[in-house]
Amino acid sequence: MAETTKNAQGAPDVAALSFEAALAELESIVSALEKGDVPLEQSIAIYERGEALKKRCEALLAQAEARVATITRDADGKPAGTAPLDPEG
């Protein structure tokens, strides 16, 4: 398995995370912030990481959507197969 790049705080680099890993970490950050028992400076730091994780998840979802196939229909409107969402790609 490939080694994950770490940032200065020893956390995995956001850009190297899978969607599932980024979402799980984002959920734990939201939970910690909702509890309200995190010191202010740490709250700010994890909020900033949460923003980066949110952007990573959005980017990965956009990539996935770009790869989704659309259903083509025949003259009667019945499904006839699939075509790339982006015919150029």
Side-chain angles (χ1 to χ4, degrees):
M1 180 173 251
E3 185 176 321
T4 303
T5 307
K6 306 253 181 183
N7 65 14
Q9 291 77 30
D13 184 26
V14 171
L17 295 175
S18 68
F19 176 81
E20 293 79 8
L23 184 59
E25 186 176 345
L26 181 56
E27 288 172 343
S28 74
I29 286 172
V30 169
S31 177
L33 291 173
E34 285 177 341
K35 288 179 185 174
D37 58 358
V38 180
L40 179 61
E41 288 300 316
Q42 186 181 0
S43 292
I44 293 168
I46 65 174
Y47 179 86
E48 290 171 344
R49 182 156 173 91
E51 281 293 313
L53 291 164
K54 176 183 164 275
K55 288 179 184 174
R56 172 72 175 158
C57 288
E58 289 171 343
L60 291 171
L61 284 174
Q63 289 174 10
E65 287 174 357
R67 294 173 40 201
V68 171
T70 59
I71 298 174
T72 59
R73 300 191 181 273
D74 62 18
D76 296 324
K78 296 179 182 174
T82 60
L85 182 62
D86 179 6
E88 303 287 322

